[in-house]
Amino acid sequence: MSLLKQKLAQVFPAQKAEIGAFVKEYGDTQVSTVTLKQAYGGMRGVKGLVCDTSEVPPDKGLIIRGIELKHLTEKCPEEILWLLLTGELPNETELLDLRKELFDAREVPQYVWDVINAMPADSHPMAMFNTAVLVMQKESVFAKKYAEGMKKDEYWEATYDDAIQIIAKLPAIGAYVYRKRFGHGERIIPNDTLDWSNSYVQMLGLPDPNGDFTKLMTLYLNLHCDHEGGNVSAYSSATISSALSDLYYALSGGLNGLAGPLHGLANQECLGWVLETREKFGGAPTHEQLKDYAWETLNSGKVIPGYGHAVLRITDPRFDAFLAFGKKYMGDDPVFLTVQRVFETVPDVLRQVQKISDPWPNVDAGSGALLYHYGLTEFSYYTVLFSISRALGIAAQAIVARAMGYPITRPKSLPTKGYMKLVQQ
Ligand code: CMX
């Protein structure tokens, strides 16, 4: 048994007992109220979900198992996966063991390549990627063991096995989607590196003479991993998982939500918006020109992608981390400079629109310019990168939920007439 699985076998029973006792003692305590506005407003701010892997206080941003993101930016995604699951960072031996476990599971079945090859050449990269995850469902250990009558206490272990199998294969699948969809040639077989992000960069096949692009990808795959339980991809996936659908179903379903322009697809839209400003103004736009363009976008009824958030009320620390990376590695890159200028301009514009709750940049506002700098210019691909990273958090949440024995999700809905009656009462 791998060291991570052994560790989880140790920690989960105590956590489950603690939660059981907590709910037994305080089960009837009220933790939230719901207004009519919230019911019709996407349940914003309604506390009714449990997520132990991470939380997002509006004034702080992402905290993973009690550690603020700013203290985690130097870590690799494998360390983050360990942290999400166990609540601790791994030591060197543990990290190596997890890397080996992923390495041993990296081989992608041939039929996955055949399915991707059979898709229309102009399919969206997200459709290709999510289809590849779903088509592997027949490999699910959870589905097989469930059919054999697995005990409830063993659910998390089978979900863990599925998670490792899926996560290990995502870099190869993501890289092939990139190469196939954008005509970059054959699939690349990486050398025997155990480093998950490094092997991904090798398979993408983009030049990386001094290793800076690998550094960016490690940061990228780290920063997008998890964002508590209520965002569209995590929540959709958790809902699917709560029906005891296996992780292949749950993850691909959640990632279909990530493919929406108000969620993960915003990173493709955002770089598009930045480049549009450069095209429109024939080079680097001034602050004044950006202000005008921001108003033009708002007045045409569109959103300014990369800005605003359903929970955050500060500049997203993930954006801060990308900005710091850009300043260090590409301070004079013209597209990156425009991103900085947008950051200096757009919040002031959005602040003037009363209905907008958060005028600050989110994770998607800056990442595209950094990828663009290293030659990853096909921005419809960017959400696939987001997905590879977000799979870590979604998988961790699914494993924890199974270990804690959480039931099927089933909030109550009412028709509008029902709410009208309730309000009159
Ligand atoms: N540009 C223009 N209008 C915006 C806006 C923006 N960046 N952010 C919010 N608004 C508008 C909303 O569309 C909404 O308008 P209506 O009432 O007319 O529908 C109004 O302001 C109120 O919205 P809000 O309470 O501030 O924000 P929500 O919680 O409803 O939505 C989000 C959050 C992210 C969908 C929204 O800010 C947005 O659309 N941003 C741009 C897209 C984006 O960057 N998404 C990525 C988010 C991060 C991620 O998940 O990856």
Side-chain angles (χ1 to χ4, degrees):
M1 196 191 273
S2 71
L3 292 180
L4 178 52
K5 207 173 184 186
Q6 281 176 39
K7 176 108 190 166
L8 294 174
Q10 266 171 22
V11 298
F12 280 155
Q15 282 171 12
K16 191 174 177 190
E18 189 188 21
I19 290 172
F22 178 55
V23 178
K24 195 168 173 209
E25 185 165 0
Y26 297 106
D28 292 326
T29 307
Q30 191 172 334
V31 292
S32 201
T33 52
V34 187
T35 62
L36 191 64
K37 197 165 134 194
Q38 287 172 308
Y40 280 87
M43 294 189 283
R44 212 70 85 252
V46 176
K47 293 187 204 80
L49 300 172
V50 180
C51 173
D52 280 321
T53 55
S54 68
E55 60 177 317
V56 183
D59 60 343
K60 281 207 173 71
L62 179 59
I63 297 178
I64 300 178
R65 294 281 190 179
I67 308 178
E68 281 188 46
L69 183 73
K70 63 182 176 209
H71 302 303
L72 292 169
T73 52
E74 300 296 320
K75 303 292 172 201
C76 66
E78 298 96 313
E79 288 173 294
I80 299 287
L81 175 60
W82 187 289
L83 175 66
L84 285 164
L85 278 165
T86 66
E88 291 167 13
L89 284 160
N91 61 32
E92 254 175 63
T93 313
E94 290 168 336
L95 174 60
L96 186 64
D97 194 72
L98 173 57
R99 285 187 158 165
K100 280 206 188 114
E101 191 181 17
L102 290 168
F103 183 82
D104 290 344
R106 74 194 183 289
E107 205 61 41
V108 178
Q110 176 60 41
Y111 65 79
V112 174
W113 309 134
D114 295 341
V115 167
I116 293 175
N117 290 340
M119 290 183 76
D122 59 351
S123 301
H124 194 282
M126 279 299 283
M128 291 174 144
F129 185 76
N130 297 353
T131 301
V133 173
L134 183 59
V135 79
M136 291 192 295
Q137 187 279 332
K138 74 185 198 67
E139 314 292 339
S140 171
V141 174
F142 182 89
K144 183 168 171 286
K145 289 199 171 165
Y146 187 84
E148 289 165 2
M150 162 175 59
K151 291 202 209 87
K152 212 172 172 185
D153 279 354
E154 294 164 4
Y155 286 0
W156 75 263
E157 287 192 52
T159 306
Y160 177 94
D161 293 341
D162 283 351
I164 292 293
Q165 288 298 325
I166 296 172
I167 291 167
K169 295 172 177 61
L170 295 183
I173 294 172
Y176 185 58
V177 166
Y178 176 69
R179 297 188 66 76
K180 170 79 187 159
R181 175 62 180 74
F182 300 105
H184 290 300
E186 294 297 302
R187 205 153 43 83
I188 296 173
I189 310 298
N191 68 22
D192 279 351
T193 175
L194 292 181
D195 182 314
W196 193 66
S197 348
N198 190 312
S199 81
Y200 178 43
V201 172
Q202 287 181 34
M203 288 184 277
L204 281 171
L206 285 159
D208 187 23
N210 50 15
D212 289 351
F213 181 51
T214 302
K215 284 188 199 131
L216 172 64
M217 294 309 279
T218 303
L219 179 68
Y220 196 106
L221 295 173
N222 167 339
L223 294 184
H224 290 81
C225 65
D226 203 35
H227 218 226
E228 69 175 37
N231 63 79
V232 167
S233 47
Y235 181 48
S236 313
S237 191
T239 301
I240 298 170
S241 192
S242 80
L244 296 185
S245 300
D246 61 60
L247 195 60
Y248 294 85
Y249 284 125
L251 178 63
S252 57
L255 296 181
N256 287 333
L258 196 72
L262 296 187
H263 191 15
L265 205 80
N267 58 7
Q268 103 170 36
E269 308 267 306
C270 188
L271 182 61
W273 193 85
V274 167
L275 295 177
E276 261 166 48
T277 67
R278 296 183 55 81
E279 201 169 304
K280 182 173 164 99
F281 300 109
T286 62
H287 289 94
E288 209 46 43
Q289 286 169 327
L290 280 174
K291 198 169 130 192
D292 290 346
Y293 196 63
W295 278 116
E296 196 181 313
T297 305
L298 292 172
N299 292 336
S300 66
K302 293 187 202 149
V303 296
I304 299 185
Y307 282 76
H309 200 271
V311 173
L312 290 173
R313 297 296 174 259
I314 51 161
T315 295
D316 191 332
R318 300 171 298 175
F319 175 82
D320 283 335
F322 279 135
L323 200 66
F325 185 97
K327 284 181 181 164
K328 184 165 174 190
Y329 290 100
M330 61 190 76
D332 52 2
D333 177 287
V335 179
F336 175 67
L337 285 172
T338 303
V339 165
Q340 274 187 281
R341 203 165 280 178
V342 170
F343 176 42
E344 289 154 8
T345 312
V346 162
D348 278 343
V349 172
L350 295 181
R351 259 200 294 252
Q352 292 172 52
V353 184
Q354 216 188 349
K355 67 178 182 179
I356 296 180
S357 318
D358 172 43
W360 301 109
N362 60 55
V363 65
D364 297 323
S367 55
L370 310 189
L371 298 167
Y372 200 75
H373 175 82
Y374 292 113
L376 215 174
T377 54
E378 298 88 348
F379 32 100
S380 65
Y381 182 71
Y382 293 172
T383 315
V384 173
L385 294 175
F386 196 152
S387 302
I388 295 175
S389 175
R390 185 50 62 90
L392 303 180
I394 288 178
Q397 291 190 24
I399 295 165
V400 172
R402 294 264 160 93
M404 299 304 124
Y406 294 146
I408 188 165
T409 308
R410 184 60 171 90
K412 177 81 185 115
S413 64
L414 286 182
T416 294
K417 284 209 162 62
Y419 279 115
M420 284 174 169
K421 214 162 133 193
L422 202 70
V423 166
Q424 277 155 17
Q425 282 165 8

